[in-house]
Amino acid sequence: MKRLLLLLNLLFLTALLQQAVAQDRSISGQVTDRANGQGLPGVTVLVKGTTIGASTNAEGNYVISVPTSATTLSFSSIGYLAVERPIGNASNISVALATDAKQLGEVVVTGALGIQRQQQQVGYATATLNTEEITQARPTNVVNGLTSKVSGLQIQTLGSGINPSVRVTLRGNRSLTGNNEALIVVDGIISTNDVLVALNPDDIASISVLKGANAAALYGSQAANGALIITTRKGSTTPKVTFSQTSQFESISFLPKFQGEFGPGANTYTSTLPPFSPDNSVDSNYEYQYQGFENQQYGPRFDGSLRPFGERLANGEVQMLTYESRLNEKRKFFNAAYQAQNSVTFSGGDEKTKFYTSFQNVHNNGIVPKDKYDRNNFRFNASRELGRLTVGFNVSYAQQRIDQTSNLDQASSIYWNIFNTTAMAPITSYKNWQTDQYANPNGYYNAYYYNPYFIIDTYRTNDRRNTLLGNVDLSYKVNDWLNFNYRIGTTNINQSSIATQNKFSFNSFVQGGNTNKGGNGLPGYVQDLSSSVSRINSDLFASMDKTFGDFSVQAIVGNNVQQLDSRFNYVASTALATPDLFNLGNRIGNLTGSDAQAKTRLYAFYGDLTLGYKGFLYLHGSGRNDNISILDQNNRSFFYPGVDASFIFSNAIPALKEVSFLDYGKIRGGITKVSQVNLGNLTGTGVYQTGGAYSLNSTYSLGSGYPFGSLASFTANNTLVQQGLLPEDTRSIEAGIELSFLQRRVSGAFSYYSQRSNNQTINTSISSATGYSSLLLNAGEVQNQGVEVDLNLIPVRLNNGLTFTVGGNFNYNNNKVISLPGGLPQLALSTGGNAQLYAIPGQPFPILQGTYYQRTDAGQIKMTQTTDPFTGEPRYFPLKAADTKILGNTQPKYKYGFNSSITYKGITLSGQGELRTGYVVYNTIGENLDFAGSGQRSVTYGRQDFVYPNSAISTDGGQTYVPNTAGLTPGGSEFWASSAYNTSVAENYVTSGKFFKIRELSLGYVLPASMVSKIGFVKGASLNVFGRNIWTWVPKENIYTDPEFNFSNSNAIGINTNLQTPPTKFYGATLTATF
Amino acid sequence: MKIFLKVLVAAALTTASTSCSSFLDINDNPNSPTAVAPNAILAQALSVTAANYTGNNPSYNSYGSWAAGYWGKSGVVNGYTEERTYNYSTLYYQGLWSNTYDNLNDYNLIQQQADAYPNHAAIARIMKVFNFQLLVDEYGDIPYTEALQAAGNTLPKYDNAATIYRDFIVQLDGAIADINTAAAAADALAVGSEDIVFSGDMTKWKQFANSLKLRVLLRESQTNDAALNTYVATQMATLQNAPDGFITTDVVAQPGYNQNTSQQNPFYNRYGFTAAGTGATERLYQIPTNYIIAQYVSNNDPRITQLYTVGARTTGTDPNTVTTPGYIGTDLGERSPPSFVAPVVASRFLPNGTFLKGPNAPTVLMLLANHLFSKAEAETRGLFTGNNTAAKTDYLNGIKASFLFTYRTATTPVIALADATASTPGSSAYDTYIAANTANPLVNYDLAPSAGTLGKQSVIIYQQYLASNTVASIEAWCAYRRTAQPKLPASLESTSPRPDKLATRLLYPQTEVSTNQANIPTGITQFTKIFWDVVD
């Protein structure tokens, strides 16, 4: 993209340079890109103080004739830092140009529809990152390369594992229950979030981030959340082959803090119980403190003695183990994962034809044993100029294969299983469960949970996804100021997934009830799902760009048509007839299944006009009329406008032009309305999505179990719909200033925005006494206000090439629910647990609300008195309140991104960090750890009875309370594992979400051309060593996990779960060679 | 320039206007119906009612089984805190509320098409009473007149429980009249196989309506409200001679349960075995209380052999181990309840026994035994004529009906008592029981104590308690609250301030608190009484 522009620039310059005067001598040389040593075409070479100049050719070579009076040559190119060189007597001057950290003003912005504007012309906030910035630390998912690099952009990685999903939001959440994720546009075609994991990062030429609705309005209603405009590489005039190999390692960055002091046991009030059975027999009846078969870890303190571990086997044997902690087994269980990326790209072409093709293979072994991820990407992009017509097409195909442990529920969750495995267990010795009698489910020590290695082999999910992206682009140049464009493209994702559980039957000894293991085994199943989604997007538009004296006019009018088609088929068996054969034919009982399809359409007309005056004042307005199938006839057509302005005062005010330290200054402002239809894009079944189709009527579905033979019968579903639903409106205003000083050594931007979304389409819970449980209606209002600050400094920029840059970005976002429908006091975004997310008027959104302890007016926790059933002594428990209270907001209010780089002679050291603060997270895994007794929190008081801190007791049946100084709370499972007094009290597990992460650190070295050229056919080579997420700091109170992790991909952000794997860090190296 | 723009706009508009309306009219749902006829709703509505009543998660039966002292927690599971302490939260069994209203909505949708489906609508009208009564009995005042209005009223007000009870009789009388009207109309659509209870036999529906009336009236018959007592007496007098009489068999729903996922008998599926034949998750979580075991063991009641597995207690150590088989239960709230491994092996629901007859067993809507005990109670208390003579007959028939139910296999059809022979399973066990307890006032009606105007109510309720065990436990729980009989023990961990240390009702559910708080009656705790609960 940049190359293409440079060529245009070149033509322009050539005209200018025709006036060159008589020359005396000739100087030649090559201008190269410091980053990779390759020749830079289109660089302007000027004799300083004159208009004499030349520009470099495709290989970066130039020849210039200079007058004898000339002393200095200056080299400049958009996107690079300008360099000056004294001429002296030299006849050959070669320079290497460094990329400009951030050139403001002249940087070209790829806006809506792929139309490019100079940054100075736009009245809204954008950011553009090029391929190096995205891929320097070799993320496999393109979007992870954006993390912390753009203010206002939040990339939330929802888990670890071999293919974690990400959630991309800009400037907070607007819609209460609807879609808040940024629109994804690939090569001008509206696509879907699902393609992000299927793109080859090496194919990306640039990603533009359109932060607000102003920027993105032309994309239509989906752009109310901002947009990511991804542009892939187009090819070049010189043939070039690049090969790169990346090897990286992934390891656990931290585990929850486990306790390693106490062994298995589940009894309560154990003070008078003997710790072990006297003859070391198995205590199957809970008469002692120690039960070697327990998942709970409330047994006696480890003492190094030899104890029976688990229960007696059918052959009478029992495993004897020393009673000690083997805590590092929990970490050892997880693999150090290895990941390889191999990529080859080829680009070539001439002035009229360009093409680019690539292949990438990613292979990833996860940290969970036997998890595997494979991805193959193919891409072919080409374009050709045929007179006035330019034809281009891009096509890419990605194949993803995931083979992993299912992690569907607690039974198949490895993480949960590890929580419920005592520190005493030598976990890694139980690998061979088929042959080792103590590893086999029949003899495995844990009576209530399976051996994790058995789970890994028993619960598998095989997922295959094929993603095809393709588009054709026709551009007809009527004359030098008018263009017609037609662009049609499609995104197709086909997914097929088989989840299996193998059949396992306990032996007759276990089935006969001779152990505490319940049941008779696992029935096995096959769940076969295939789903697909296809989007077609077509744009026809005309664009003009013409200057009339002092005025410039840029206009676009166009038409957009979109269609979404999606469907899924799901068939499952619920029990296998024989083990090890995963075929639907090998089953007991009926097949179960379901399917659905959805189709939505939209057409729209839009117009966009930018008026410029003398290059320092720009007014821009746009309007779009959408017609959408998913609303009813009367409301399906709607119009929304936007206006903005930009004023480059550094160009406008003559006095400022003279100020030497100010390079560039601009103020801007805009106001927009965007309407979005949020009818609930139901997802969750593979890649199936409804796009909100068929949401206007209540439906019926087949009753549970039906049809019984020929008897089919239906039940009314629980959702009602308000008649005449309207789209949601988001009105935003934004204003900003952009400044650059000291030849771009200091540059910065500041934005303020305020958005108000009303007419929210919300599925509200209603009294079930109505016969229904929810009503979809229009109401509710949310406000987001915030500031974004970007600052980039170049403290060192020496002629010898040493450059040191530091940058930072900051985003403060304050959002608030203004109102909810029908005066509703709150709206639940998630349901089920002890702490859940809500929208509450006057509060930030989403807000965490959960259970808590009763407190006295003085803030002391009220205790209730019970009696130790063995000793008869009084004991005190904290009292849970009957209702819930607000525990905090779960979206970070403050986000800081930091980046820095040092470049010298082909060596680049760069790093990115991120700090998020001003929010809380809810650690569901904290409840799990306390229940299991495996977490650090449960040994806070060494399992001794303790005086509950800051508590109060009552001696008159709860009338009055006095501070508690000596009343003891029991220190064993009767308190820590108790749902009544501890684990169901949400305030115990809320921690600050604050974290600081070193997201990326990379050290790159570009081999000098002199060295490389000796190898002959090699044109360039570079080596890059990197790490991602290499260091994470969290506050001391967070003993659980990465606060970014979340249980779902919805607006309900801020609750983690055990259906995940622990957070990880990556480090690796990439070798790139160009031929 | 202008001409180009004009051409473009014109072209775009032409394509748009020629095809736009049809281009966007693609919103007919291809996945789910948006309207369904009553005959395609009825079967599902009936089976859901039956499942909510007996074995769903949650069900009235399981709630009643804990509350009425049938069930205790086994040693293999943590939790059941609320069952053990009566320290209820608004989440405790909140699904009963929403599931019942959801089910009521389906009946209401059937009723809305009464013109075309008068018989279906009449059945729906009866079943609405059945379900609303379940709600009133656990929650007292509930949304009734303003309920089930969909978007028409999303904040329904709560009606007085006693007033709702009066309307039940009006509705049941109305339903019987509707059936008679439909029978007289030659073109009224008949009910077919979608009636999974009576297969379209409308006379049996009228009998069921009458038995339900008896249940409703009897439940509100023991208050100190004179006006109400007069009303009950009047209604009872009419009811006794109702034209179509009462039910003659157990009333069960059988949609075609079989050993397949989602198609098993709901109780069997939840507390017995999965469709794959493996143990259900909750199979080992609850065991009988020592109290209920004692009622069978001490009265030589053979029914226990059909209910629970035989446990065992082992004493001594190798090699002098002595294992004593026996029925082993727990005291709810006991610190270390027994599990299923030696030395103490607890009893649990017997596979293929009464509770887990099989995956294909029908679900119970009303036990004939319970109806007969109600009738006996009405007779001994003078609400029906016939005094103790009639009461004793119905009492003994009630016990016999319980035996026949207890011993009946999954696939044997329900039969009327009159059709039972000496070889019908349960008949001889019944005879044995009666013969073994000739001197036992807990069995022999004649020896049972009589308490003034209540007559021999106590022994009738006692036998009803045994008959309802784990099948229709909620009926025993209602009877206990109404009569304080039998004197069942509370959990050892009870926090209840009541003299009997039990709770009396459920709290209004959290879903209602978050959606309709303004209308919820205030000052309600789990120890507040329902209007008909007066005797302690």
Side-chain angles (χ1 to χ4, degrees), chain A residues 75-371:
Chain A
F75 300 85
S76 62
S77 179
I78 291 176
Y80 291 86
L81 294 166
V83 162
E84 292 183 357
R85 286 281 185 275
I87 297 172
N89 296 323
S91 62
N92 185 307
I93 298 177
S94 290
V95 297
L97 296 186
T99 325
D100 192 346
K102 278 286 168 290
Q103 275 196 359
L104 297 169
E106 290 166 19
V107 170
V108 171
V109 187
T110 305
L113 302 170
I115 289 181
Q116 297 181 328
R117 297 275 189 258
Q118 288 199 324
Q119 176 118 21
Q120 62 182 9
Q121 294 175 298
V122 301
Y124 42 77
T126 64
T128 303
L129 291 103
N130 62 24
T131 191
E132 287 78 18
E133 289 171 285
I134 298 158
T135 62
Q136 63 187 8
R138 306 301 298 171
T140 46
N141 181 335
V142 169
V143 178
N144 283 336
L146 298 176
T147 310
S148 82
K149 291 169 189 167
V150 178
S151 61
L153 173 68
Q154 181 169 341
I155 310 282
Q156 181 118 8
T157 304
L158 302 170
S160 58
I162 49 179
N163 187 33
S165 52
V166 289
R167 176 179 163 85
V168 182
T169 51
L170 284 157
R171 294 181 172 170
N173 288 324
R174 284 148 296 276
S175 183
L176 289 168
T177 55
N179 177 27
N180 284 306
E181 293 194 73
L183 182 70
I184 307 296
V185 179
V186 182
D187 288 326
I189 303 299
I190 291 175
S191 190
T192 138
N193 189 309
D194 289 315
V195 306
L196 295 174
V197 291
L199 285 174
N200 173 1
D202 286 333
D203 290 346
I204 309 299
S206 69
I207 297 182
S208 284
V209 182
L210 308 185
K211 292 182 185 176
N214 294 55
L218 277 195
Y219 278 119
S221 53
Q222 299 138 41
N225 300 319
L228 295 190
I229 313 295
I230 299 173
T231 310
T232 60
R233 293 181 188 243
K234 292 288 175 283
S236 61
T237 50
T238 44
K240 187 167 104 176
V241 179
T242 308
F243 172 79
S244 81
Q245 205 286 335
T246 301
S247 287
Q248 65 180 15
F249 297 90
E250 178 184 10
S251 65
I252 291 176
S253 54
F254 64 103
L255 280 172
K257 290 213 166 56
F258 293 115
Q259 61 93 358
E261 298 169 56
F262 299 89
N267 274 325
T268 54
Y269 295 106
T270 56
S271 62
T272 59
L273 281 181
F276 299 98
S277 95
D279 55 356
N280 247 353
S281 64
V282 175
D283 173 22
S284 290
N285 264 62
Y286 295 86
E287 287 167 345
Y288 304 97
Q289 292 180 28
Y290 172 78
Q291 289 90 35
F293 56 85
E294 254 297 331
N295 61 300
Q296 283 189 301
Q297 294 144 54
Y298 287 98
R301 189 178 284 276
F302 286 122
D303 63 3
S305 57
L306 200 63
R307 297 293 169 192
F309 191 56
E311 292 179 276
R312 207 163 280 283
L313 272 49
N315 61 11
E317 292 176 22
V318 63
Q319 187 175 21
M320 297 299 288
L321 278 181
T322 50
Y323 191 57
E324 64 184 349
S325 168
R326 298 171 178 85
L327 203 51
N328 58 355
E329 286 281 303
K330 295 197 189 205
R331 185 177 282 255
K332 267 170 67 185
F333 171 81
F334 293 100
N335 284 343
Y338 171 74
Q339 189 192 76
Q341 294 176 41
N342 289 299
S343 159
V344 57
T345 69
F346 178 62
S347 63
D350 55 31
E351 297 295 325
K352 291 194 180 291
T353 308
K354 298 205 167 40
F355 70 92
Y356 169 87
T357 183
S358 72
F359 166 74
Q360 185 199 31
N361 170 265
V362 176
H363 177 78
N364 187 359
N365 288 317
I367 54 166
V368 174
K370 302 194 181 179
D371 279 8

Side-chain angles (χ1 to χ4, degrees), chain A residues 494-516:
Chain A
N494 285 291
Q495 178 256 15
S496 77
S497 159
I498 295 190
T500 55
Q501 182 199 65
N502 205 355
K503 182 184 175 114
F504 179 85
S505 304
F506 282 121
N507 62 23
S508 55
F509 180 76
V510 175
Q511 287 201 29
N514 294 303
T515 70
N516 275 295

Side-chain angles (χ1 to χ4, degrees), chain A residues 144 155-161 164-168 181 1042 1044-1050 1052-1057 1059-1061:
Chain A
N144 283 336
I155 310 282
Q156 181 118 8
T157 304
L158 302 170
S160 58
S165 52
V166 289
R167 176 179 163 85
V168 182
E181 293 194 73
D1042 186 333
E1044 277 194 274
F1045 283 17
N1046 199 63
F1047 77 114
S1048 87
N1049 188 21
S1050 69
I1053 282 287
I1055 299 179
N1056 61 38
T1057 149
L1059 302 181
Q1060 289 176 333
T1061 52

Side-chain angles (χ1 to χ4, degrees), chain A residues 785-985:
Chain A
Q785 288 172 315
V787 294
E788 291 160 349
V789 181
D790 288 271
L791 184 65
N792 291 289
L793 304 175
I794 311 174
V796 180
R797 186 170 68 199
L798 301 178
N799 281 341
N800 65 9
L802 177 68
T803 309
F804 172 48
T805 69
V806 231
N809 60 67
F810 166 71
N811 173 223
Y812 166 75
N813 188 64
N814 183 18
N815 76 353
K816 196 163 82 170
V817 178
I818 307 289
S819 66
L820 288 176
L824 211 61
Q826 61 184 41
L827 178 67
L829 303 174
S830 62
T831 53
N834 298 310
Q836 293 300 321
L837 294 158
Y838 293 87
I840 299 174
Q843 295 288 343
F845 158 75
I847 193 118
L848 186 73
Q849 201 172 220
T851 47
Y852 66 104
Y853 288 125
Q854 297 178 26
R855 285 183 169 78
T856 62
D857 292 341
Q860 290 170 322
I861 293 176
K862 293 182 182 175
M863 306 295 279
T864 179
Q865 185 183 332
T866 58
T867 308
D868 182 324
F870 289 101
T871 63
E873 290 170 5
R875 286 292 180 268
Y876 297 88
F877 286 113
L879 273 171
K880 180 174 140 182
D883 56 343
T884 57
K885 73 167 184 181
I886 289 172
L887 300 168
N889 60 300
T890 58
Q891 280 282 356
K893 268 201 159 70
Y894 307 92
K895 293 197 294 283
Y896 304 81
F898 307 96
N899 56 72
S900 179
S901 73
I902 301 173
T903 311
Y904 180 67
K905 288 195 172 167
I907 298 175
T908 304
L909 174 66
S910 68
Q912 263 80 37
E914 184 173 16
L915 174 67
R916 290 188 195 169
T917 175
Y919 70 115
V920 299
V921 290
Y922 186 70
N923 298 286
T924 309
I925 64 171
E927 297 175 22
N928 305 147
L929 288 166
D930 273 359
F931 164 75
S934 59
Q936 190 70 43
R937 186 171 177 272
S938 72
V939 296
T940 309
Y941 298 96
R943 296 276 165 86
Q944 299 299 304
D945 296 353
F946 61 99
V947 178
Y948 201 95
N950 195 27
S951 62
I953 54 179
S954 176
T955 50
D956 54 4
Q959 301 296 314
T960 58
Y961 281 86
V962 292
N964 177 20
T965 51
L968 291 173
T969 297
S973 75
E974 60 282 344
F975 170 70
W976 294 104
S978 159
S979 66
Y981 302 119
N982 186 34
T983 63
S984 72
V985 182

Side-chain angles (χ1 to χ4, degrees), chain A residues 268 285 296 515 520 523 544 557 574 589-590 597 601 603 629 636 700 705-707 713-716 718 767-769 870, chain B residues 1 5 20 23 25 27 31 33 40 43-44 47 78 101-102 106 148 150 260-263 276 278-279 335 341-342 512:
Chain A
T268 54
N285 264 62
Q296 283 189 301
T515 70
N520 23 7
M544 71 161 283
V557 283
T574 51
N590 288 349
Q597 52 183 311
R601 284 182 181 151
Y603 68 85
S629 70
R636 64 166 57 143
Y700 290 78
Y706 286 89
S713 196
F714 291 83
T715 178
N718 290 324
S767 164
S768 39
F870 289 101
Chain B
M1 180 198 86
L5 285 179
C20 274
F23 181 75
D25 284 335
N27 235 4
N31 304 319
Q44 173 278 138
S47 63
N78 268 312
Y101 272 109
D102 186 23
D106 287 336
L148 308 179
N260 256 314
T261 305
S262 312
Q263 296 195 320
T278 58
R335 191 188 153 272
V341 183
E512 200 62 10

